[in-house]
PDB file of all heavy atoms in Angstrom:
ATOM      1  N   ASN A   4      92.891  46.946 123.882  1.00 85.00           N
ATOM      2  CA  ASN A   4      92.589  47.718 125.056  1.00 85.00           C
ATOM      3  C   ASN A   4      92.157  49.140 124.769  1.00 85.00           C
ATOM      4  O   ASN A   4      92.203  50.009 125.697  1.00 85.00           O
ATOM      5  CB  ASN A   4      93.736  47.708 126.088  1.00 85.00           C
ATOM      6  CG  ASN A   4      94.998  48.328 125.435  1.00 85.00           C
ATOM      7  OD1 ASN A   4      94.991  48.727 124.298  1.00 85.00           O
ATOM      8  ND2 ASN A   4      96.040  48.539 126.278  1.00 85.00           N
ATOM      9  N   HIS A   5      91.741  49.409 123.554  1.00 86.00           N
ATOM     10  CA  HIS A   5      91.405  50.785 123.153  1.00 86.00           C
ATOM     11  C   HIS A   5      90.107  51.221 124.025  1.00 86.00           C
ATOM     12  O   HIS A   5      89.116  50.557 124.001  1.00 86.00           O
ATOM     13  CB  HIS A   5      91.000  50.845 121.678  1.00 86.00           C
ATOM     14  CG  HIS A   5      90.296  52.093 121.308  1.00 86.00           C
ATOM     15  ND1 HIS A   5      90.901  53.274 121.369  1.00 86.00           N
ATOM     16  CD2 HIS A   5      89.055  52.272 120.747  1.00 86.00           C
ATOM     17  CE1 HIS A   5      90.059  54.199 120.905  1.00 86.00           C
ATOM     18  NE2 HIS A   5      88.953  53.650 120.522  1.00 86.00           N
ATOM     19  N   GLY A   6      90.345  52.332 124.823  1.00 80.00           N
ATOM     20  CA  GLY A   6      89.268  52.840 125.605  1.00 80.00           C
ATOM     21  C   GLY A   6      88.972  52.047 126.883  1.00 80.00           C
ATOM     22  O   GLY A   6      87.947  52.341 127.496  1.00 80.00           O
ATOM     23  N   ARG A   7      89.808  51.101 127.145  1.00 76.00           N
ATOM     24  CA  ARG A   7      89.463  50.187 128.292  1.00 76.00           C
ATOM     25  C   ARG A   7      90.744  49.979 129.135  1.00 76.00           C
ATOM     26  O   ARG A   7      91.860  50.116 128.573  1.00 76.00           O
ATOM     27  CB  ARG A   7      88.861  48.856 127.849  1.00 76.00           C
ATOM     28  CG  ARG A   7      87.490  48.975 127.320  1.00 76.00           C
ATOM     29  CD  ARG A   7      87.123  47.662 126.680  1.00 76.00           C
ATOM     30  NE  ARG A   7      85.753  47.714 126.055  1.00 76.00           N
ATOM     31  CZ  ARG A   7      84.675  47.425 126.719  1.00 76.00           C
ATOM     32  NH1 ARG A   7      84.693  46.988 127.971  1.00 76.00           N
ATOM     33  NH2 ARG A   7      83.469  47.508 126.095  1.00 76.00           N
ATOM     34  N   ARG A   8      90.588  49.494 130.392  1.00 78.00           N
ATOM     35  CA  ARG A   8      91.764  49.132 131.187  1.00 78.00           C
ATOM     36  C   ARG A   8      92.297  47.742 130.735  1.00 78.00           C
ATOM     37  O   ARG A   8      93.483  47.477 130.974  1.00 78.00           O
ATOM     38  CB  ARG A   8      91.408  49.139 132.641  1.00 78.00           C
ATOM     39  CG  ARG A   8      91.086  50.452 133.194  1.00 78.00           C
ATOM     40  CD  ARG A   8      90.792  50.441 134.672  1.00 78.00           C
ATOM     41  NE  ARG A   8      90.527  51.797 135.250  1.00 78.00           N
ATOM     42  CZ  ARG A   8      90.180  51.987 136.458  1.00 78.00           C
ATOM     43  NH1 ARG A   8      90.116  51.016 137.337  1.00 78.00           N
ATOM     44  NH2 ARG A   8      89.951  53.288 136.910  1.00 78.00           N
ATOM     45  N   GLY A   9      91.413  46.955 130.246  1.00 78.00           N
ATOM     46  CA  GLY A   9      91.796  45.579 129.864  1.00 78.00           C
ATOM     47  C   GLY A   9      91.413  45.442 128.328  1.00 78.00           C
ATOM     48  O   GLY A   9      90.902  46.330 127.726  1.00 78.00           O
ATOM     49  N   ASN A  10      91.644  44.203 127.943  1.00 80.00           N
ATOM     50  CA  ASN A  10      91.217  43.893 126.559  1.00 80.00           C
ATOM     51  C   ASN A  10      89.683  43.729 126.450  1.00 80.00           C
ATOM     52  O   ASN A  10      89.036  43.176 127.317  1.00 80.00           O
ATOM     53  CB  ASN A  10      91.949  42.656 126.069  1.00 80.00           C
ATOM     54  CG  ASN A  10      93.438  42.768 125.983  1.00 80.00           C
ATOM     55  OD1 ASN A  10      93.992  43.939 125.825  1.00 80.00           O
ATOM     56  ND2 ASN A  10      94.161  41.665 125.984  1.00 80.00           N
ATOM     57  N   SER A  11      89.249  44.157 125.311  1.00 82.00           N
ATOM     58  CA  SER A  11      87.801  44.003 124.981  1.00 82.00           C
ATOM     59  C   SER A  11      87.454  42.650 124.554  1.00 82.00           C
ATOM     60  O   SER A  11      88.307  41.936 123.989  1.00 82.00           O
ATOM     61  CB  SER A  11      87.432  45.005 123.862  1.00 82.00           C
ATOM     62  OG  SER A  11      87.576  46.365 124.304  1.00 82.00           O
ATOM     63  N   GLU A  12      86.308  42.206 124.821  1.00 81.00           N
ATOM     64  CA  GLU A  12      85.821  40.894 124.341  1.00 81.00           C
ATOM     65  C   GLU A  12      85.614  41.025 122.847  1.00 81.00           C
ATOM     66  O   GLU A  12      85.334  42.114 122.241  1.00 81.00           O
ATOM     67  CB  GLU A  12      84.479  40.503 124.917  1.00 81.00           C
ATOM     68  CG  GLU A  12      84.592  40.334 126.447  1.00 81.00           C
ATOM     69  CD  GLU A  12      85.320  39.068 126.765  1.00 81.00           C
ATOM     70  OE1 GLU A  12      85.280  38.126 125.938  1.00 81.00           O
ATOM     71  OE2 GLU A  12      85.988  38.986 127.832  1.00 81.00           O
ATOM     72  N   CYS A  13      85.787  39.929 122.129  1.00 82.00           N
ATOM     73  CA  CYS A  13      85.694  39.995 120.655  1.00 82.00           C
ATOM     74  C   CYS A  13      84.316  40.572 120.206  1.00 82.00           C
ATOM     75  O   CYS A  13      84.243  41.256 119.184  1.00 82.00           O
ATOM     76  CB  CYS A  13      85.864  38.546 120.085  1.00 82.00           C
ATOM     77  SG  CYS A  13      87.511  37.779 120.476  1.00 82.00           S
ATOM     78  N   ILE A  14      83.284  40.054 120.908  1.00 83.00           N
ATOM     79  CA  ILE A  14      81.888  40.469 120.491  1.00 83.00           C
ATOM     80  C   ILE A  14      81.655  41.956 120.563  1.00 83.00           C
ATOM     81  O   ILE A  14      80.653  42.450 119.960  1.00 83.00           O
ATOM     82  CB  ILE A  14      80.921  39.633 121.287  1.00 83.00           C
ATOM     83  CG1 ILE A  14      79.575  39.558 120.513  1.00 83.00           C
ATOM     84  CG2 ILE A  14      80.762  40.231 122.674  1.00 83.00           C
ATOM     85  CD1 ILE A  14      78.591  38.573 121.085  1.00 83.00           C
ATOM     86  N   VAL A  15      82.398  42.698 121.372  1.00 87.00           N
ATOM     87  CA  VAL A  15      82.198  44.120 121.381  1.00 87.00           C
ATOM     88  C   VAL A  15      82.317  44.771 120.023  1.00 87.00           C
ATOM     89  O   VAL A  15      81.557  45.689 119.680  1.00 87.00           O
ATOM     90  CB  VAL A  15      83.295  44.777 122.389  1.00 87.00           C
ATOM     91  CG1 VAL A  15      83.212  46.314 122.305  1.00 87.00           C
ATOM     92  CG2 VAL A  15      83.051  44.275 123.758  1.00 87.00           C
ATOM     93  N   CYS A  16      83.279  44.381 119.253  1.00 89.00           N
ATOM     94  CA  CYS A  16      83.484  44.897 117.978  1.00 89.00           C
ATOM     95  C   CYS A  16      82.982  43.987 116.834  1.00 89.00           C
ATOM     96  O   CYS A  16      82.414  44.423 115.850  1.00 89.00           O
ATOM     97  CB  CYS A  16      84.993  45.176 117.674  1.00 89.00           C
ATOM     98  SG  CYS A  16      85.746  46.320 118.791  1.00 89.00           S
ATOM     99  N   HIS A  17      83.107  42.634 117.047  1.00 86.00           N
ATOM    100  CA  HIS A  17      82.730  41.646 116.043  1.00 86.00           C
ATOM    101  C   HIS A  17      81.397  41.012 116.508  1.00 86.00           C
ATOM    102  O   HIS A  17      81.418  39.966 117.217  1.00 86.00           O
ATOM    103  CB  HIS A  17      83.768  40.588 115.932  1.00 86.00           C
ATOM    104  CG  HIS A  17      85.172  41.154 115.474  1.00 86.00           C
ATOM    105  ND1 HIS A  17      85.481  41.499 114.247  1.00 86.00           N
ATOM    106  CD2 HIS A  17      86.267  41.362 116.238  1.00 86.00           C
ATOM    107  CE1 HIS A  17      86.718  41.974 114.228  1.00 86.00           C
ATOM    108  NE2 HIS A  17      87.215  41.888 115.398  1.00 86.00           N
ATOM    109  N   GLU A  18      80.366  41.621 116.080  1.00 83.00           N
ATOM    110  CA  GLU A  18      78.991  41.166 116.564  1.00 83.00           C
ATOM    111  C   GLU A  18      78.800  39.765 116.009  1.00 83.00           C
ATOM    112  O   GLU A  18      77.964  38.988 116.571  1.00 83.00           O
ATOM    113  CB  GLU A  18      77.934  42.144 116.122  1.00 83.00           C
ATOM    114  CG  GLU A  18      78.032  43.479 116.878  1.00 83.00           C
ATOM    115  CD  GLU A  18      76.947  44.487 116.390  1.00 83.00           C
ATOM    116  OE1 GLU A  18      76.767  44.648 115.197  1.00 83.00           O
ATOM    117  OE2 GLU A  18      76.338  45.123 117.261  1.00 83.00           O
ATOM    118  N   ASN A  19      79.216  39.512 114.733  1.00 82.00           N
ATOM    119  CA  ASN A  19      79.110  38.254 114.144  1.00 82.00           C
ATOM    120  C   ASN A  19      80.342  37.380 114.361  1.00 82.00           C
ATOM    121  O   ASN A  19      81.367  37.672 113.609  1.00 82.00           O
ATOM    122  CB  ASN A  19      78.822  38.353 112.634  1.00 82.00           C
ATOM    123  CG  ASN A  19      78.614  37.056 111.956  1.00 82.00           C
ATOM    124  OD1 ASN A  19      78.584  35.987 112.624  1.00 82.00           O
ATOM    125  ND2 ASN A  19      78.450  37.038 110.653  1.00 82.00           N
ATOM    126  N   LEU A  20      80.307  36.548 115.352  1.00 74.00           N
ATOM    127  CA  LEU A  20      81.623  35.833 115.625  1.00 74.00           C
ATOM    128  C   LEU A  20      81.961  34.760 114.570  1.00 74.00           C
ATOM    129  O   LEU A  20      82.986  34.032 114.640  1.00 74.00           O
ATOM    130  CB  LEU A  20      81.441  35.028 117.013  1.00 74.00           C
ATOM    131  CG  LEU A  20      81.343  36.044 118.225  1.00 74.00           C
ATOM    132  CD1 LEU A  20      81.134  35.241 119.457  1.00 74.00           C
ATOM    133  CD2 LEU A  20      82.591  36.865 118.368  1.00 74.00           C
ATOM    134  N   GLN A  21      81.079  34.594 113.584  1.00 73.00           N
ATOM    135  CA  GLN A  21      81.415  33.754 112.457  1.00 73.00           C
ATOM    136  C   GLN A  21      82.213  34.457 111.366  1.00 73.00           C
ATOM    137  O   GLN A  21      82.703  33.798 110.437  1.00 73.00           O
ATOM    138  CB  GLN A  21      80.158  33.103 111.902  1.00 73.00           C
ATOM    139  CG  GLN A  21      79.288  32.426 112.968  1.00 73.00           C
ATOM    140  CD  GLN A  21      80.105  31.302 113.654  1.00 73.00           C
ATOM    141  OE1 GLN A  21      80.829  30.585 113.089  1.00 73.00           O
ATOM    142  NE2 GLN A  21      79.977  31.297 114.998  1.00 73.00           N
ATOM    143  N   ASN A  22      82.245  35.811 111.472  1.00 76.00           N
ATOM    144  CA  ASN A  22      82.912  36.554 110.427  1.00 76.00           C
ATOM    145  C   ASN A  22      83.677  37.717 111.112  1.00 76.00           C
ATOM    146  O   ASN A  22      83.108  38.753 111.378  1.00 76.00           O
ATOM    147  CB  ASN A  22      81.901  37.124 109.408  1.00 76.00           C
ATOM    148  CG  ASN A  22      82.583  37.751 108.256  1.00 76.00           C
ATOM    149  OD1 ASN A  22      83.842  37.914 108.146  1.00 76.00           O
ATOM    150  ND2 ASN A  22      81.807  38.304 107.333  1.00 76.00           N
ATOM    151  N   PHE A  23      85.009  37.531 111.331  1.00 77.00           N
ATOM    152  CA  PHE A  23      85.746  38.520 112.052  1.00 77.00           C
ATOM    153  C   PHE A  23      86.247  39.542 111.095  1.00 77.00           C
ATOM    154  O   PHE A  23      86.949  40.553 111.582  1.00 77.00           O
ATOM    155  CB  PHE A  23      86.848  37.811 112.798  1.00 77.00           C
ATOM    156  CG  PHE A  23      86.408  37.193 114.085  1.00 77.00           C
ATOM    157  CD1 PHE A  23      85.936  35.931 114.074  1.00 77.00           C
ATOM    158  CD2 PHE A  23      86.424  37.843 115.279  1.00 77.00           C
ATOM    159  CE1 PHE A  23      85.408  35.324 115.202  1.00 77.00           C
ATOM    160  CE2 PHE A  23      85.968  37.206 116.409  1.00 77.00           C
ATOM    161  CZ  PHE A  23      85.475  35.941 116.462  1.00 77.00           C
ATOM    162  N   LYS A  24      86.040  39.407 109.862  1.00 80.00           N
ATOM    163  CA  LYS A  24      86.395  40.505 108.971  1.00 80.00           C
ATOM    164  C   LYS A  24      85.476  41.732 109.050  1.00 80.00           C
ATOM    165  O   LYS A  24      85.872  42.824 108.679  1.00 80.00           O
ATOM    166  CB  LYS A  24      86.374  39.993 107.534  1.00 80.00           C
ATOM    167  CG  LYS A  24      87.509  38.986 107.223  1.00 80.00           C
ATOM    168  CD  LYS A  24      87.509  38.499 105.793  1.00 80.00           C
ATOM    169  CE  LYS A  24      88.565  37.447 105.524  1.00 80.00           C
ATOM    170  NZ  LYS A  24      88.536  37.035 104.121  1.00 80.00           N
ATOM    171  N   GLU A  25      84.212  41.486 109.607  1.00 85.00           N
ATOM    172  CA  GLU A  25      83.318  42.590 109.753  1.00 85.00           C
ATOM    173  C   GLU A  25      83.412  43.113 111.225  1.00 85.00           C
ATOM    174  O   GLU A  25      83.664  42.323 112.176  1.00 85.00           O
ATOM    175  CB  GLU A  25      81.851  42.058 109.572  1.00 85.00           C
ATOM    176  CG  GLU A  25      81.586  41.678 108.160  1.00 85.00           C
ATOM    177  CD  GLU A  25      80.117  41.232 107.955  1.00 85.00           C
ATOM    178  OE1 GLU A  25      79.504  41.150 108.993  1.00 85.00           O
ATOM    179  OE2 GLU A  25      79.797  40.872 106.877  1.00 85.00           O
ATOM    180  N   TYR A  26      83.332  44.415 111.382  1.00 89.00           N
ATOM    181  CA  TYR A  26      83.429  44.927 112.760  1.00 89.00           C
ATOM    182  C   TYR A  26      82.574  46.175 112.849  1.00 89.00           C
ATOM    183  O   TYR A  26      82.106  46.823 111.800  1.00 89.00           O
ATOM    184  CB  TYR A  26      84.913  45.315 113.121  1.00 89.00           C
ATOM    185  CG  TYR A  26      85.461  46.412 112.305  1.00 89.00           C
ATOM    186  CD1 TYR A  26      85.430  47.770 112.804  1.00 89.00           C
ATOM    187  CD2 TYR A  26      86.094  46.193 111.072  1.00 89.00           C
ATOM    188  CE1 TYR A  26      85.935  48.780 112.099  1.00 89.00           C
ATOM    189  CE2 TYR A  26      86.577  47.253 110.327  1.00 89.00           C
ATOM    190  CZ  TYR A  26      86.580  48.545 110.878  1.00 89.00           C
ATOM    191  OH  TYR A  26      87.069  49.585 110.157  1.00 89.00           O
ATOM    192  N   THR A  27      82.340  46.739 114.013  1.00 88.00           N
ATOM    193  CA  THR A  27      81.679  48.021 114.236  1.00 88.00           C
ATOM    194  C   THR A  27      82.294  48.738 115.370  1.00 88.00           C
ATOM    195  O   THR A  27      82.734  48.111 116.268  1.00 88.00           O
ATOM    196  CB  THR A  27      80.167  47.730 114.459  1.00 88.00           C
ATOM    197  OG1 THR A  27      79.578  48.972 114.684  1.00 88.00           O
ATOM    198  CG2 THR A  27      79.949  46.918 115.757  1.00 88.00           C
ATOM    199  N   CYS A  28      82.276  50.039 115.302  1.00 88.00           N
ATOM    200  CA  CYS A  28      82.766  50.885 116.343  1.00 88.00           C
ATOM    201  C   CYS A  28      81.614  51.452 117.184  1.00 88.00           C
ATOM    202  O   CYS A  28      81.846  52.069 118.166  1.00 88.00           O
ATOM    203  CB  CYS A  28      83.577  51.962 115.809  1.00 88.00           C
ATOM    204  SG  CYS A  28      85.140  51.431 114.993  1.00 88.00           S
ATOM    205  N   TYR A  29      80.412  51.236 116.720  1.00 84.00           N
ATOM    206  CA  TYR A  29      79.254  51.954 117.266  1.00 84.00           C
ATOM    207  C   TYR A  29      78.824  51.386 118.675  1.00 84.00           C
ATOM    208  O   TYR A  29      78.071  51.959 119.414  1.00 84.00           O
ATOM    209  CB  TYR A  29      78.058  51.906 116.361  1.00 84.00           C
ATOM    210  CG  TYR A  29      78.298  52.575 115.006  1.00 84.00           C
ATOM    211  CD1 TYR A  29      77.567  52.209 113.897  1.00 84.00           C
ATOM    212  CD2 TYR A  29      79.095  53.676 115.028  1.00 84.00           C
ATOM    213  CE1 TYR A  29      77.839  52.883 112.690  1.00 84.00           C
ATOM    214  CE2 TYR A  29      79.368  54.378 113.787  1.00 84.00           C
ATOM    215  CZ  TYR A  29      78.734  53.982 112.670  1.00 84.00           C
ATOM    216  OH  TYR A  29      78.961  54.621 111.472  1.00 84.00           O
ATOM    217  N   ASN A  30      79.323  50.226 118.979  1.00 84.00           N
ATOM    218  CA  ASN A  30      78.982  49.619 120.312  1.00 84.00           C
ATOM    219  C   ASN A  30      79.621  50.316 121.395  1.00 84.00           C
ATOM    220  O   ASN A  30      79.224  50.297 122.559  1.00 84.00           O
ATOM    221  CB  ASN A  30      79.350  48.165 120.383  1.00 84.00           C
ATOM    222  CG  ASN A  30      78.396  47.323 119.448  1.00 84.00           C
ATOM    223  OD1 ASN A  30      77.234  47.623 119.331  1.00 84.00           O
ATOM    224  ND2 ASN A  30      78.889  46.183 118.990  1.00 84.00           N
ATOM    225  N   CYS A  31      80.743  51.109 121.143  1.00 84.00           N
ATOM    226  CA  CYS A  31      81.377  51.980 122.108  1.00 84.00           C
ATOM    227  C   CYS A  31      81.101  53.393 121.940  1.00 84.00           C
ATOM    228  O   CYS A  31      80.855  54.139 122.869  1.00 84.00           O
ATOM    229  CB  CYS A  31      82.854  51.660 122.205  1.00 84.00           C
ATOM    230  SG  CYS A  31      83.281  50.011 122.750  1.00 84.00           S
ATOM    231  N   HIS A  32      81.227  53.755 120.649  1.00 80.00           N
ATOM    232  CA  HIS A  32      81.049  55.204 120.261  1.00 80.00           C
ATOM    233  C   HIS A  32      79.587  55.464 119.960  1.00 80.00           C
ATOM    234  O   HIS A  32      78.970  54.904 119.012  1.00 80.00           O
ATOM    235  CB  HIS A  32      81.945  55.494 119.043  1.00 80.00           C
ATOM    236  CG  HIS A  32      83.407  55.359 119.290  1.00 80.00           C
ATOM    237  ND1 HIS A  32      84.157  56.270 120.014  1.00 80.00           N
ATOM    238  CD2 HIS A  32      84.223  54.333 119.048  1.00 80.00           C
ATOM    239  CE1 HIS A  32      85.378  55.908 120.061  1.00 80.00           C
ATOM    240  NE2 HIS A  32      85.551  54.611 119.466  1.00 80.00           N
ATOM    241  N   GLU A  33      79.029  56.359 120.755  1.00 72.00           N
ATOM    242  CA  GLU A  33      77.582  56.596 120.614  1.00 72.00           C
ATOM    243  C   GLU A  33      77.313  57.543 119.439  1.00 72.00           C
ATOM    244  O   GLU A  33      77.018  58.695 119.628  1.00 72.00           O
ATOM    245  CB  GLU A  33      77.039  57.213 121.927  1.00 72.00           C
ATOM    246  CG  GLU A  33      77.181  56.247 123.079  1.00 72.00           C
ATOM    247  CD  GLU A  33      76.685  56.829 124.457  1.00 72.00           C
ATOM    248  OE1 GLU A  33      76.286  58.049 124.357  1.00 72.00           O
ATOM    249  OE2 GLU A  33      76.694  56.133 125.419  1.00 72.00           O
ATOM    250  N   HIS A  34      77.437  56.994 118.305  1.00 76.00           N
ATOM    251  CA  HIS A  34      77.203  57.752 117.063  1.00 76.00           C
ATOM    252  C   HIS A  34      76.099  56.990 116.286  1.00 76.00           C
ATOM    253  O   HIS A  34      76.094  55.752 116.352  1.00 76.00           O
ATOM    254  CB  HIS A  34      78.435  57.859 116.217  1.00 76.00           C
ATOM    255  CG  HIS A  34      79.526  58.542 116.900  1.00 76.00           C
ATOM    256  ND1 HIS A  34      79.437  59.708 117.483  1.00 76.00           N
ATOM    257  CD2 HIS A  34      80.848  58.109 117.123  1.00 76.00           C
ATOM    258  CE1 HIS A  34      80.624  60.152 118.081  1.00 76.00           C
ATOM    259  NE2 HIS A  34      81.468  59.128 117.849  1.00 76.00           N
TER     260      HIS A  34
END
């Protein structure tokens, strides 16, 4: 629930749902 009122969907951080070891923070943080 980081930065949200509820839990985020997996795809927000894990763009590749076949590999959850990879993640990105850029989908929320505009960097």
Side-chain angles (χ1 to χ4, degrees):
N4 62 351
H5 168 63
R7 295 171 178 265
R8 292 182 180 179
N10 292 338
S11 298
E12 296 291 332
C13 300
I14 200 169
V15 171
C16 300
H17 302 283
E18 295 178 312
N19 181 5
L20 293 179
Q21 305 304 315
N22 184 1
F23 282 86
K24 293 181 179 180
E25 295 180 357
Y26 70 92
T27 180
C28 296
Y29 297 151
N30 286 331
C31 293
H32 297 279
E33 297 178 358
H34 302 306

